Amino acid sequence: MTSSAIISHPIKSIADLPVDKTLATALVSSMSEYSDQLHGRRLWLACSGGRDSLALAALCVQLYRQGKLPCLPQLLHVDHGLQSDSQYWAKHVANWAQAQQIPCCILQAQVNGHDEQAARQARYNIMRAHINQDDVLLLAHHADDQAETVLMRLIQGAGVNGLSGMQPWRVQTQGAQRNILWRPWLTIRRANISAYAKRLQLPYIDDPTNDSGDNVRSGLRRDIMPILATYNPNVIDNIARSVQLLSEAQETINAQAMQDMQQTEHTDLQFSSAQRVLNIDALQKLPMYRQRQLLHYWLGQDEPLPPAKQLVDDVLTLSQRDDQDHQTELFWQGRKASYTIRRYRQQLYRMSSEWLSWLKLPLSEQVLPLSSLSLSKNNSADNSFELVTLCSSNDYIWQLRVMGDALLRLLENSAGGIAQQVTLKIVPLNRKQRLKTEMAARPQAGKKLYQTLGIPLWLRESLMVVSITLIKKFENGSDIQTDIPLLLASPFESWLLSSEQTDSDAKSNQLAEYIASELSLK
């Protein structure tokens, strides 16, 4: 059994058939342009079996046999089961690839939904999962696809970035995975590809949904593009030229926004894509149009698709408020992650949901003999150190770097010698616990302490008090315990502490120098 959607040409070798000069020139020129990026990378070709992708696969076979292509890409065909004949299409692509002696892999995908976007996302997800880090995925998108994409985004209200269309070379990231999408045919018309497929008698799959009008893209292709062509027969080429101009304009905007961001971001509070922070005072020194551009760039810098204009407007309004309300939250569901945007004092925070969930993980008390820490095998300069984990997950880890040997030596040189028992105590901050910091004249607790130190609401459950406990035993059996508070630590900052029980704050400060808070990605 076969499928009526498959063009009824026999499968035959096309290696020695005539090459289309226009299509070949576009592919070879693009390959030359990105030769440095292509060097040493594995090449895959997304092949639905349709006219465009099968034509690109055929051209690769021909150029490879002629020695004009250094290697053959491996075909990737995704069967997501949305069409009743999809299994026959997958078998057909595999048979055609075997006849051309080009490697082919059939992938099965599950689609969450039944629309075009859901199917497209499923295809990319399964292909991304199959290929390796930094591999290149070759795509057969052409000038007509580009025009349809731009019109789709135009009626959706896209800005300059969206109207820049598809890019010929794009680095795509998904978590730790990074791949490249390569589109060498964006300047090629569909008619050229159709003529080439007809000359080679390619048995491609003519998917009936492509021109059904059941989705926006096919509706534009079937109903709108022919009408636009009656007004100007060069509409496809003209849109392609506009795309190029808009791409250059977007590069200029991005360069300006990146420069502005370097002047406004709070680097000490940045933490990869989990938390990004802008200084509002620096933001408001910019002209209004650059504030909007910066916020647009800042919000979307880790996402494949930009934020909506309404979100940018809402964040701009949040930055302009002059009240003391720190409770307002804005939410954005991006493609890769969801985010919360909040303001605390004169800082704007964009935080991922995963990061905010991590901040809610419980912290536990740790009491560690200092002598055991001094036995660490890690070395940093002249001091050994121990990494004490405070909070950890699959994504993030918060640790204290403790130089146990240095702490012991300092205590030994203190008046009265070292105690028989020396422990490092790390406990979560109790809201009622009163602490004396350098920023206040007297001990504080709770809200007053948080406000004095400028700790945002969402970080107030992620605070640890670090202290050293000394116990001296006497011959009469009594002992004296001395607690030396050293630090109040958060994932981003630490504050020196002092106590009336210690001889001087200088000793506490010296001890604190050998303890550092570290936050990192796992």
Side-chain angles (χ1 to χ4, degrees):
M1 183 176 180
T2 185
S3 168
S4 59
I6 300 174
I7 301 299
S8 58
H9 291 308
I11 294 177
K12 61 183 180 181
S13 174
I14 48 82
D16 298 324
L17 297 179
V19 173
D20 185 281
K21 184 177 180 181
T22 300
L23 302 184
T25 299
L27 177 57
V28 172
S29 296
S30 185
M31 183 175 59
S32 176
E33 181 178 357
Y34 300 111
S35 58
D36 291 342
Q37 295 95 316
L38 283 166
H39 182 70
R41 289 180 171 171
R42 191 171 184 181
L43 188 61
W44 307 79
L45 194 159
C47 184
S48 67
R51 174 193 53 224
D52 304 332
S53 62
L54 206 66
L56 182 54
L59 183 64
C60 287
V61 170
Q62 291 180 314
L63 294 180
Y64 176 72
R65 304 299 180 207
Q66 295 178 6
K68 297 178 181 178
L69 200 66
C71 64
L72 273 177
Q74 179 165 324
L75 304 189
L76 287 178
H77 177 85
V78 178
D79 178 8
H80 41 49
L82 292 182
Q83 299 287 344
S84 59
D85 288 349
S86 64
Q87 58 181 317
Y88 304 114
W89 296 356
K91 181 64 175 176
H92 177 72
V93 171
N95 291 339
W96 184 87
Q98 184 177 21
Q100 314 312 322
Q101 298 180 8
I102 184 172
C104 178
C105 182
I106 306 299
L107 304 175
Q108 304 291 327
Q110 294 292 326
V111 181
N112 296 321
H114 295 84
D115 61 348
E116 179 190 15
Q117 180 59 35
R120 178 182 180 276
Q121 190 62 42
R123 287 196 299 272
Y124 277 107
N125 286 344
I126 195 66
M127 287 190 289
R128 187 184 299 113
H130 181 79
I131 66 181
N132 299 316
Q133 184 82 336
D134 288 327
D135 284 357
V136 177
L137 185 61
L138 186 57
L139 302 168
H141 295 133
H142 46 72
D144 296 66
D145 291 328
Q146 182 78 289
E148 293 161 8
T149 297
V150 170
L151 288 177
M152 285 174 61
R153 294 179 180 177
L154 180 64
I155 61 180
Q156 291 167 352
V160 175
N161 186 51
L163 297 179
S164 299
M166 296 178 286
Q167 302 305 306
W169 185 272
R170 180 186 163 199
V171 178
Q172 186 179 58
T173 59
Q174 180 85 19
Q177 182 76 8
R178 182 178 61 252
N179 305 114
I180 293 91
L181 303 182
W182 180 28
R183 302 179 176 97
W185 274 359
L186 287 180
T187 59
I188 296 297
R189 294 290 307 274
R190 179 183 286 122
N192 294 101
I193 300 172
S194 296
Y196 173 63
K198 184 176 181 180
R199 284 197 302 273
L200 264 58
Q201 295 186 332
L202 290 179
Y204 62 85
I205 301 165
D206 189 14
D207 188 342
T209 64
N210 285 341
D211 299 306
S212 65
D214 293 339
N215 55 62
V216 176
R217 182 179 291 277
S218 65
L220 289 170
R221 181 180 304 163
R222 187 189 69 180
D223 303 326
I224 305 302
M225 296 306 297
I227 295 175
L228 293 178
T230 63
Y231 290 99
N232 190 326
N234 297 319
V235 60
I236 302 295
D237 295 330
N238 291 344
I239 291 177
R241 184 167 61 252
S242 295
V243 164
Q244 180 61 38
L245 294 172
L246 287 167
S247 296
E248 294 172 358
Q250 185 60 49
E251 289 178 5
T252 302
I253 292 171
N254 285 346
Q256 180 66 72
M258 185 180 298
Q259 182 179 344
D260 288 341
M261 191 169 71
Q262 291 172 351
Q263 303 299 318
T264 57
E265 62 183 353
H266 197 311
T267 54
D268 291 341
L269 299 178
Q270 302 280 92
F271 185 48
S272 183
S273 60
Q275 177 168 292
R276 298 196 179 274
V277 187
L278 279 185
N279 181 274
I280 293 175
D281 290 333
L283 173 69
Q284 293 179 340
K285 292 179 182 178
L286 299 173
M288 185 58 66
Y289 76 94
R290 280 171 58 185
Q291 291 187 42
R292 291 182 182 277
Q293 290 173 358
L294 172 56
L295 291 175
H296 186 276
Y297 182 84
W298 175 71
L299 287 166
Q301 59 190 305
D302 300 299
E303 286 287 326
L305 296 178
K309 178 180 181 297
Q310 185 60 56
L311 177 64
V312 176
D313 290 343
D314 290 342
V315 175
L316 180 62
T317 300
L318 181 62
S319 72
Q320 294 171 336
R321 292 175 60 164
D322 56 5
D323 54 41
Q324 297 301 312
D325 178 16
H326 301 303
Q327 301 291 336
T328 300
E329 296 179 311
L330 300 173
F331 298 96
W332 177 34
Q333 180 59 58
R335 176 69 61 82
K336 294 164 60 176
S338 57
Y339 305 91
T340 296
I341 299 94
R342 297 189 69 166
R343 171 180 181 164
Y344 184 74
R345 295 186 175 175
Q346 289 304 97
Q347 310 292 344
L348 275 176
Y349 292 79
R350 194 212 69 179
M351 298 166 290
S352 71
S353 297
E354 290 81 3
W355 169 242
L356 289 174
S357 296
W358 184 85
L359 289 175
K360 295 177 182 178
L361 293 177
L363 302 173
S364 57
E365 177 177 332
Q366 299 190 55
V367 179
L368 306 167
L370 201 57
S371 57
S372 68
L373 296 181
S374 68
L375 300 177
S376 168
K377 301 299 183 183
N378 297 312
N379 290 308
S380 175
D382 296 327
N383 295 301
S384 61
F385 65 88
E386 176 82 8
L387 290 175
V388 180
T389 298
L390 304 181
C391 189
S392 179
S393 71
N394 292 332
D395 300 313
Y396 316 115
I397 183 168
W398 179 23
Q399 297 173 306
L400 283 185
R401 180 185 290 256
V402 182
M403 295 184 180
D405 288 339
L407 287 171
L408 283 173
R409 286 197 298 270
L410 184 58
L411 289 168
E412 287 172 349
N413 294 331
S414 301
I418 192 165
Q420 283 86 345
Q421 293 183 29
V422 185
T423 58
L424 184 73
K425 185 161 66 172
I426 310 166
V427 298
L429 174 66
N430 187 302
R431 289 183 64 92
K432 297 181 179 180
Q433 185 176 356
R434 298 175 63 81
L435 297 177
K436 173 69 170 62
T437 67
E438 294 180 324
M439 302 178 69
R442 62 188 64 183
Q444 295 176 309
K447 188 174 181 180
K448 287 187 176 180
L449 176 65
Y450 302 144
Q451 291 177 340
T452 297
L453 300 180
I455 301 173
L457 280 66
W458 54 91
L459 274 178
R460 294 178 181 178
E461 300 303 319
S462 300
L463 297 170
M464 299 289 277
V465 180
V466 183
S467 60
I468 283 180
T469 300
L470 308 175
I471 299 178
K472 288 188 177 182
K473 296 185 179 295
F474 294 88
E475 293 180 357
N476 61 6
S478 64
D479 53 36
I480 297 179
Q481 176 174 314
T482 303
D483 291 321
I484 306 177
L486 303 180
L487 291 172
L488 175 63
S490 82
F492 294 100
E493 297 179 84
S494 297
W495 298 270
L496 294 173
L497 300 176
S498 61
S499 170
E500 297 175 357
Q501 299 180 36
T502 58
D503 297 335
S504 68
D505 289 344
K507 181 192 293 184
S508 299
N509 294 352
Q510 282 182 299
L511 291 168
E513 288 179 1
Y514 297 108
I515 301 176
S517 176
E518 294 186 355
L519 179 68
S520 59
L521 297 172
K522 264 195 166 182

